[in-house]
Amino acid sequence: MLGLGLWPKQSWALRSPGQLEVLAGTQFDLSVGETAVNYTGKTRPAITVNGSVPAPILRWREGTRVQLRVRNDLPPGSIHGDSTSIHWHGILLPANMDGVPGLSFDGIGRGESYLYEFDVRQGGTYWYHSHSGFQEQGGMYGPLIIDPIAPEPFSYDRDYVVFLSDWTDMDPARLFARLKKLSEYDNYYQRTVGDFFRDVSNDGLRATLSDRAAWGRMRMTPTDLSDVNAHTYTYLMNGTTSLGNWTGLFRSGEKIRLRFINGSAMSYFDVRIPGLKMTVVEVDGQYVHPLTVDEIRIATAETFDVIVEPTGQDAFTLFAQDSARTGYVSGTLAVREGLRAPVPAVDPRPLLTMADMGHGDHAAHSGHGATPAAADPHAGHGATPASDPHAGHGAAASVDPHAGHGASATAMQGAPAGGMQMQAHPASETGNPLVDMQTMTPAPRLSDPGIGLRGNGRKVATYADLKSLFPDPDGREPGRTVELHLTGHMERFAWSFDGIKFADAEPLRLNYGERMRIVLVNDTMMAHPIHLHGLWSDLEDEQGNFHLRKHTVDMPPGTKRSYRVRADALGRWAYHCHLFFHMESGMFREVRVEE
């Protein structure tokens, strides 16, 4: 059991025993090695930093200069490879300190060391992880806390990290190979004959047959909500399973800060504490207007800081279920060790609808087997060419700078039933064997809590609800717009931008100092958390105004969202989906910021 109370709060002495190591200061020595772990009854080799999963909590202070000496102590023949690296997720730093082999540097060879050294220019909750091979899936990740110079706009008595991750006993390389061969391996919940007759009873025979035909022609299933889930994964909270019952201690009436970090490889978590409201005060390390909710969905790589005030009972359950509803991990807030509170049942399994996929209006969001609202729900599956063959690529510098707000950045095609405009697509998607679907009527849906969270009786934080506590830090209107499409082929397990895998893609080029708008269109049936290294992603609201500063932007199926980027860091940067195996299979681009 790993307790994670954080220095320098006065309640340090009351923390749960066996806490994860906390390293604070400006000089750090980190050793990357291999350590045996046992989460399932089987002993397996994890890749670790200083011998632990998660890696030690690093505590920095804004305004200082940190030096981190990272040594590669992996043994010969390790399943985790010969070379390693550390990427400081969400941290502003020089490009050669970003820790991405092939872009930032060559990586750290076995027996070698690398000195990361840079100024700390921000505060908040972040994390760090390997960017080499399959090491992130193998256990190489840890929390990163930066104490700000200025006083924080909220108070609390106790401070805990809650680091969520997904563990597999499989060699991560074997898991990737299995996904390439049989991407639906973990989708146990295919629809049955019983489901068919239930839908006929609820929706009628014609609507049910139309829905089944739509999914059949796409060779997809509405039950496919995650590529890898609890049928393969064991979910961890601060490096322990639910049986380990990670416990954070409190005294009744205290304000507790919980720093939720989703450091998983492939999992979205829906987090709540039955009996307690959570007030969100920080997202991705940046202050937001306080928002009190019952539940938060944390996309892979996001962080949410919340304040809770436990009172009236001795124990409360921290409950994090995966978005596909196949499993969960839990821990406890308690007045003393050894207590537990009731653990809720996992919510019912949701189904995707055609509306979720960006086909037609969204009245059918909560439906099961709902009739597609678009005139032709199958249009555009690898067949609809864009009006502008250069749309969505780095060359699209002359696109209308206001495109992407209710209209595509490329030319629109005829409107479907209901009057909604049809989405255009880049020519690179046409006839592309790596593209098995195109969304036709995407929308930002910033106020949508998400698949499986709508109408559940709980207040769920949405991007529309979360607003930065500060105005637009840049203030300029973007000078140009680039539209990129998130594309994939489910059966081939191939993922990309604009249907072009990383190996064949040209870099996205930004001019140093410019302010530009990126419009993302999700053409797939999967959510994608998109992370741009080295630069902030300033999410816009549906009217095109600055709304929320983030380092990772969640893109649910069938959505179209835009954000502003200030190109204020020279160099070569990674830009990718943070679902680990999506990145590995091609949803990755290089971004170059040049003079």
Side-chain angles (χ1 to χ4, degrees), residues 215-281:
W215 290 104
R217 276 193 284 266
M218 290 190 295
R219 298 187 300 280
M220 299 177 187
T221 168
T223 63
D224 201 351
L225 296 166
S226 60
D227 296 308
V228 192
N229 54 43
H231 301 304
T232 292
Y233 282 145
T234 298
Y235 298 130
L236 305 179
M237 180 180 292
N238 295 335
T240 191
T241 65
S242 296
L243 290 176
N245 190 35
W246 175 82
T247 301
L249 300 181
F250 71 89
R251 290 191 180 113
S252 182
E254 287 183 323
K255 290 184 177 181
I256 313 299
R257 180 180 189 167
L258 300 174
R259 302 175 186 259
F260 288 105
I261 302 171
N262 186 350
S264 70
M266 292 289 288
S267 306
Y268 279 52
F269 289 104
D270 295 333
V271 176
R272 67 184 193 270
I273 309 173
L276 283 184
K277 297 285 187 180
M278 299 182 289
T279 299
V280 183
V281 294

Side-chain angles (χ1 to χ4, degrees), residues 502-521:
F502 171 61
D504 300 328
E506 287 294 316
L508 177 61
R509 298 179 186 275
L510 281 62
N511 300 314
Y512 180 67
E514 77 166 319
R515 182 72 155 167
M516 69 173 295
R517 174 181 288 119
I518 295 177
V519 178
L520 294 181
V521 179

Side-chain angles (χ1 to χ4, degrees), residues 8-39:
K9 287 293 171 185
Q10 295 300 312
S11 56
W12 176 253
L14 297 176
R15 286 194 326 269
S16 177
Q19 71 274 7
L20 195 67
E21 183 180 17
V22 181
L23 304 177
T26 59
Q27 304 279 329
F28 301 87
D29 287 288
L30 305 177
S31 169
V32 178
E34 199 169 273
T35 304
V37 298
N38 187 336
Y39 297 116

Side-chain angles (χ1 to χ4, degrees), residues 38 42 149 202 301 314 326 394 411 423 427 443 456 458 505 514 525 581:
N38 187 336
K42 300 177 181 178
I149 294 175
N202 292 337
D314 289 345
T326 63
Q423 172 66 46
N456 65 7
R458 303 186 291 267
E514 77 166 319
M525 65 182 296
F581 294 114

Side-chain angles (χ1 to χ4, degrees), residues 44 105 164 242 277 280 333 378 443 450 516 524 529 578-579 587:
R44 291 291 184 265
F105 72 147
L164 304 171
S242 296
K277 297 285 187 180
V280 183
L333 294 177
H378 320 295
M516 69 173 295
T524 79
H578 223 285
L579 292 180
M587 193 175 281

Side-chain angles (χ1 to χ4, degrees), residues 36-51:
V37 298
N38 187 336
Y39 297 116
T40 65
K42 300 177 181 178
T43 300
R44 291 291 184 265
I47 183 167
T48 57
V49 177
N50 290 15

Side-chain angles (χ1 to χ4, degrees), residues 546-564:
F546 168 75
H547 184 70
L548 180 64
R549 170 157 278 195
K550 299 194 88 276
H551 55 55
T552 305
V553 176
D554 183 31
M555 291 293 300
T559 55
K560 179 177 185 175
R561 294 176 173 178
S562 62
Y563 52 94
R564 306 174 184 186

